[in-house]
Short mmCIF file of all heavy atoms in Angstrom, two decimals:
data_model
loop_
_atom_site.label_atom_id
_atom_site.label_comp_id
_atom_site.label_asym_id
_atom_site.label_seq_id
_atom_site.Cartn_x
_atom_site.Cartn_y
_atom_site.Cartn_z
N SER Y 27 102.03 94.67 107.18
CA SER Y 27 103.00 94.65 108.28
C SER Y 27 104.11 93.62 108.06
O SER Y 27 105.21 93.81 108.54
CB SER Y 27 102.28 94.38 109.60
OG SER Y 27 101.61 93.14 109.56
N GLU Y 28 103.82 92.55 107.32
CA GLU Y 28 104.85 91.53 107.08
C GLU Y 28 106.05 92.12 106.36
O GLU Y 28 107.19 91.74 106.61
CB GLU Y 28 104.27 90.38 106.25
CG GLU Y 28 103.13 89.66 106.92
CD GLU Y 28 103.52 89.09 108.29
OE1 GLU Y 28 104.60 88.49 108.41
OE2 GLU Y 28 102.74 89.28 109.24
N TYR Y 29 105.82 93.05 105.43
CA TYR Y 29 106.91 93.70 104.71
C TYR Y 29 107.55 94.78 105.56
O TYR Y 29 108.77 94.94 105.56
CB TYR Y 29 106.41 94.33 103.40
CG TYR Y 29 106.05 93.34 102.34
CD1 TYR Y 29 104.73 93.13 101.98
CD2 TYR Y 29 107.02 92.60 101.68
CE1 TYR Y 29 104.38 92.22 100.99
CE2 TYR Y 29 106.69 91.69 100.70
CZ TYR Y 29 105.37 91.51 100.36
OH TYR Y 29 105.03 90.61 99.39
N ALA Y 30 106.73 95.56 106.24
CA ALA Y 30 107.24 96.71 107.00
C ALA Y 30 108.18 96.28 108.11
O ALA Y 30 109.05 97.03 108.52
CB ALA Y 30 106.07 97.52 107.56
N LYS Y 31 108.01 95.04 108.63
CA LYS Y 31 108.86 94.55 109.72
C LYS Y 31 110.22 94.06 109.24
O LYS Y 31 111.11 93.83 110.04
CB LYS Y 31 108.14 93.42 110.48
CG LYS Y 31 106.97 93.89 111.30
CD LYS Y 31 106.47 92.78 112.19
CE LYS Y 31 105.33 92.06 111.54
NZ LYS Y 31 104.73 91.02 112.35
N SER Y 32 110.36 93.87 107.94
CA SER Y 32 111.61 93.33 107.39
C SER Y 32 112.77 94.29 107.64
O SER Y 32 112.65 95.50 107.39
CB SER Y 32 111.44 93.10 105.89
OG SER Y 32 112.67 92.73 105.32
N PRO Y 33 113.92 93.79 108.11
CA PRO Y 33 115.05 94.68 108.43
C PRO Y 33 115.65 95.35 107.18
O PRO Y 33 116.27 96.38 107.30
CB PRO Y 33 116.06 93.76 109.10
CG PRO Y 33 115.67 92.38 108.73
CD PRO Y 33 114.19 92.40 108.44
N ASP Y 34 115.45 94.80 105.99
CA ASP Y 34 116.04 95.40 104.80
C ASP Y 34 115.02 96.23 104.00
O ASP Y 34 115.28 96.62 102.88
CB ASP Y 34 116.67 94.33 103.90
CG ASP Y 34 115.67 93.29 103.43
OD1 ASP Y 34 114.60 93.15 104.04
OD2 ASP Y 34 115.96 92.61 102.43
N PHE Y 35 113.88 96.53 104.61
CA PHE Y 35 112.85 97.34 103.95
C PHE Y 35 113.24 98.80 104.03
O PHE Y 35 113.38 99.36 105.10
CB PHE Y 35 111.49 97.10 104.62
CG PHE Y 35 110.35 97.80 103.93
CD1 PHE Y 35 109.87 97.32 102.73
CD2 PHE Y 35 109.78 98.92 104.49
CE1 PHE Y 35 108.82 97.97 102.08
CE2 PHE Y 35 108.73 99.57 103.85
CZ PHE Y 35 108.26 99.09 102.65
N ASP Y 36 113.43 99.44 102.87
CA ASP Y 36 113.85 100.84 102.79
C ASP Y 36 112.67 101.71 102.36
O ASP Y 36 112.40 101.86 101.17
CB ASP Y 36 115.00 100.98 101.80
CG ASP Y 36 115.49 102.41 101.65
OD1 ASP Y 36 115.07 103.29 102.45
OD2 ASP Y 36 116.29 102.67 100.74
N ALA Y 37 111.96 102.27 103.32
CA ALA Y 37 110.76 103.06 103.05
C ALA Y 37 111.09 104.41 102.43
O ALA Y 37 110.22 105.04 101.83
CB ALA Y 37 109.96 103.27 104.33
N SER Y 38 112.33 104.87 102.52
CA SER Y 38 112.67 106.19 102.01
C SER Y 38 112.73 106.23 100.49
O SER Y 38 112.69 107.30 99.89
CB SER Y 38 114.02 106.65 102.59
OG SER Y 38 115.06 105.82 102.10
N ASN Y 39 112.81 105.09 99.85
CA ASN Y 39 112.94 105.01 98.40
C ASN Y 39 111.68 104.38 97.82
O ASN Y 39 111.48 103.17 97.96
CB ASN Y 39 114.18 104.19 98.05
CG ASN Y 39 114.41 104.09 96.57
OD1 ASN Y 39 113.50 104.17 95.75
ND2 ASN Y 39 115.67 103.87 96.21
N ILE Y 40 110.84 105.17 97.15
CA ILE Y 40 109.58 104.64 96.63
C ILE Y 40 109.80 103.53 95.61
O ILE Y 40 109.02 102.58 95.53
CB ILE Y 40 108.68 105.77 96.06
CG1 ILE Y 40 107.26 105.24 95.84
CG2 ILE Y 40 109.28 106.36 94.81
CD1 ILE Y 40 106.23 106.30 95.56
N GLU Y 41 110.87 103.60 94.84
CA GLU Y 41 111.16 102.54 93.86
C GLU Y 41 111.46 101.22 94.57
O GLU Y 41 111.02 100.16 94.14
CB GLU Y 41 112.33 102.95 92.96
CG GLU Y 41 112.07 104.20 92.14
CD GLU Y 41 110.87 104.09 91.21
OE1 GLU Y 41 110.61 102.99 90.69
OE2 GLU Y 41 110.19 105.11 91.02
N HIS Y 42 112.21 101.29 95.66
CA HIS Y 42 112.50 100.08 96.45
C HIS Y 42 111.22 99.52 97.06
O HIS Y 42 111.00 98.31 97.07
CB HIS Y 42 113.53 100.37 97.54
CG HIS Y 42 113.77 99.22 98.44
ND1 HIS Y 42 114.57 98.15 98.09
CD2 HIS Y 42 113.30 98.93 99.68
CE1 HIS Y 42 114.58 97.27 99.07
NE2 HIS Y 42 113.81 97.71 100.05
N VAL Y 43 110.36 100.40 97.58
CA VAL Y 43 109.11 99.97 98.19
C VAL Y 43 108.26 99.25 97.16
O VAL Y 43 107.75 98.16 97.39
CB VAL Y 43 108.34 101.17 98.79
CG1 VAL Y 43 106.94 100.77 99.21
CG2 VAL Y 43 109.11 101.75 99.97
N MET Y 44 108.11 99.85 95.98
CA MET Y 44 107.28 99.24 94.94
C MET Y 44 107.88 97.93 94.46
O MET Y 44 107.15 96.97 94.20
CB MET Y 44 107.08 100.22 93.79
CG MET Y 44 106.18 101.38 94.17
SD MET Y 44 106.01 102.69 92.93
CE MET Y 44 105.55 101.77 91.48
N SER Y 45 109.19 97.86 94.37
CA SER Y 45 109.85 96.61 93.97
C SER Y 45 109.63 95.52 95.01
O SER Y 45 109.34 94.37 94.67
CB SER Y 45 111.35 96.87 93.78
OG SER Y 45 112.02 95.68 93.55
N THR Y 46 109.75 95.88 96.28
CA THR Y 46 109.53 94.91 97.36
C THR Y 46 108.10 94.39 97.34
O THR Y 46 107.85 93.20 97.55
CB THR Y 46 109.83 95.56 98.73
OG1 THR Y 46 111.20 95.99 98.74
CG2 THR Y 46 109.60 94.58 99.87
N LEU Y 47 107.15 95.27 97.07
CA LEU Y 47 105.74 94.88 97.03
C LEU Y 47 105.36 94.25 95.69
O LEU Y 47 104.22 93.83 95.50
CB LEU Y 47 104.85 96.10 97.29
CG LEU Y 47 104.96 96.72 98.68
CD1 LEU Y 47 104.12 97.99 98.75
CD2 LEU Y 47 104.55 95.74 99.75
N ASN Y 48 106.32 94.23 94.76
CA ASN Y 48 106.10 93.65 93.43
C ASN Y 48 105.00 94.41 92.68
O ASN Y 48 104.12 93.82 92.06
CB ASN Y 48 105.77 92.17 93.53
CG ASN Y 48 106.24 91.39 92.32
OD1 ASN Y 48 106.96 91.92 91.50
ND2 ASN Y 48 105.82 90.16 92.22
N ILE Y 49 105.07 95.76 92.75
CA ILE Y 49 104.09 96.62 92.10
C ILE Y 49 104.81 97.44 91.04
O ILE Y 49 105.77 98.14 91.33
CB ILE Y 49 103.41 97.56 93.12
CG1 ILE Y 49 102.62 96.74 94.14
CG2 ILE Y 49 102.51 98.58 92.42
CD1 ILE Y 49 102.04 97.55 95.27
N GLY Y 50 104.33 97.35 89.81
CA GLY Y 50 104.88 98.15 88.71
C GLY Y 50 104.08 99.42 88.51
O GLY Y 50 102.97 99.58 89.03
N GLU Y 51 104.63 100.34 87.73
CA GLU Y 51 103.96 101.62 87.46
C GLU Y 51 102.56 101.40 86.90
O GLU Y 51 101.64 102.15 87.22
CB GLU Y 51 104.78 102.45 86.46
CG GLU Y 51 106.00 103.11 87.05
CD GLU Y 51 105.67 104.27 87.97
OE1 GLU Y 51 104.69 105.00 87.72
OE2 GLU Y 51 106.40 104.46 88.95
N GLU Y 52 102.40 100.37 86.08
CA GLU Y 52 101.09 100.12 85.46
C GLU Y 52 100.04 99.62 86.46
O GLU Y 52 98.85 99.62 86.18
CB GLU Y 52 101.23 99.11 84.31
CG GLU Y 52 101.57 97.70 84.73
CD GLU Y 52 103.05 97.47 85.11
OE1 GLU Y 52 103.89 98.35 84.92
OE2 GLU Y 52 103.34 96.36 85.62
N GLN Y 53 100.47 99.21 87.65
CA GLN Y 53 99.55 98.71 88.67
C GLN Y 53 99.12 99.79 89.68
O GLN Y 53 98.34 99.51 90.57
CB GLN Y 53 100.18 97.54 89.42
CG GLN Y 53 100.42 96.33 88.53
CD GLN Y 53 101.27 95.30 89.23
OE1 GLN Y 53 102.44 95.53 89.52
NE2 GLN Y 53 100.67 94.16 89.52
N ILE Y 54 99.65 101.00 89.53
CA ILE Y 54 99.30 102.08 90.44
C ILE Y 54 97.89 102.57 90.11
O ILE Y 54 97.58 102.86 88.96
CB ILE Y 54 100.30 103.24 90.34
CG1 ILE Y 54 101.68 102.77 90.78
CG2 ILE Y 54 99.85 104.44 91.16
CD1 ILE Y 54 102.76 103.79 90.57
N THR Y 55 97.05 102.65 91.13
CA THR Y 55 95.71 103.22 90.97
C THR Y 55 95.86 104.72 90.97
O THR Y 55 96.42 105.30 91.91
CB THR Y 55 94.80 102.77 92.13
OG1 THR Y 55 94.77 101.35 92.17
CG2 THR Y 55 93.41 103.33 91.95
N LYS Y 56 95.39 105.39 89.89
CA LYS Y 56 95.54 106.84 89.77
C LYS Y 56 94.18 107.50 89.81
O LYS Y 56 93.27 107.14 89.07
CB LYS Y 56 96.26 107.18 88.47
CG LYS Y 56 97.69 106.63 88.45
CD LYS Y 56 98.46 107.05 87.26
CE LYS Y 56 99.87 106.46 87.36
NZ LYS Y 56 100.78 106.96 86.36
N LEU Y 57 94.06 108.49 90.72
CA LEU Y 57 92.80 109.20 90.90
C LEU Y 57 93.03 110.69 90.93
O LEU Y 57 94.02 111.17 91.47
CB LEU Y 57 92.17 108.80 92.25
CG LEU Y 57 91.87 107.33 92.46
CD1 LEU Y 57 91.53 107.06 93.90
CD2 LEU Y 57 90.72 106.90 91.56
N ASP Y 58 92.10 111.43 90.36
CA ASP Y 58 92.11 112.89 90.45
C ASP Y 58 90.92 113.28 91.31
O ASP Y 58 89.77 113.03 90.92
CB ASP Y 58 92.00 113.50 89.06
CG ASP Y 58 92.22 115.01 89.06
OD1 ASP Y 58 92.08 115.64 90.14
OD2 ASP Y 58 92.51 115.56 87.99
N ILE Y 59 91.16 113.86 92.48
CA ILE Y 59 90.06 114.18 93.39
C ILE Y 59 89.58 115.62 93.26
O ILE Y 59 88.81 116.10 94.06
CB ILE Y 59 90.41 113.86 94.87
CG1 ILE Y 59 91.63 114.63 95.36
CG2 ILE Y 59 90.61 112.37 95.03
CD1 ILE Y 59 91.91 114.45 96.83
N ASN Y 60 90.06 116.32 92.25
CA ASN Y 60 89.59 117.68 91.98
C ASN Y 60 88.16 117.67 91.53
O ASN Y 60 87.66 116.88 90.87
CB ASN Y 60 90.44 118.35 90.91
CG ASN Y 60 91.34 119.40 91.51
OD1 ASN Y 60 91.14 119.86 92.61
ND2 ASN Y 60 92.34 119.77 90.74
#
């Protein structure tokens, strides 16, 4: 919630969200639920 409340948080852009959260592609947890 600390990030989500920020006035400059742009949720429509996943790249911006990941940058704001300081998460790189290599840190994404990937699961196949099939």
